Every structure is written in structure tokens, then in C-alpha cells.
Amino acid sequence: MTDLGLCAIGAALAMMCGNFSALGEALICSHAIDGMTRNPEMRGKLQSTMMIAVALDESTGIYSLIVAILIIFVLGLA
């Protein structure tokens, strides 16, 4: 296996992390909405907690995209 192949595998793994981040974000939102429908008076607290969790999860996806771009352009795939 060449260095080029290993770089491609590394970039693909980084983007898989981004995909799993999107799945986690969907789970966060669905469980927060489920909690809001079960207990409507906790809507404000659940919504603010959901926004913080989604922001943290979204940053994970952005970091994985940055890592994939750095692998591709800095390590010489492009």
C-alpha cells in the first residue's frame, strides 16, 4: 500500500466521523423533541440544552471536515 492510499483511507475515515456526527445530531434533536412532547413545561430548558449539544456535535463534524481537507491538501493527494 502506498502513502497515497493511506492518505485516502485517512481522509475517508475522517469524513465517516463527520457522518456519524450528523447521525448524533439527529438523535439529539429527536430525543429533545420527544422530551418536549412528554413534558411541555420543560420546553425551555430542553431546548437550550439541545442547542448546546447540537453546537458541540456540529463542531465535531466541522473538525473532521478540516482534518480530511488537511490530509488531502497538505499530505499531497491533490
Side-chain angles (χ1 to χ4, degrees), residues 11-75:
L13 288 174
M15 287 314 299
M16 279 180 36
C17 178
N19 291 337
F20 290 135
S21 174
L23 178 65
E25 191 171 331
L27 287 173
I28 290 168
C29 291
S30 69
H31 288 295
I33 291 171
D34 186 38
M36 288 178 204
T37 56
R38 290 176 186 261
N39 198 358
E41 61 270 3
M42 291 293 291
R43 182 180 183 269
K45 188 171 182 176
L46 285 171
Q47 190 172 10
S48 63
T49 305
M50 178 190 73
M51 290 297 175
I52 293 170
V54 166
L56 289 172
D57 192 35
E58 189 69 27
S59 68
T60 304
I62 292 169
Y63 290 147
S64 67
L65 176 65
I66 290 171
V67 167
I69 288 172
L70 286 175
I71 288 172
I72 290 171
F73 290 112
V74 173
L75 294 179

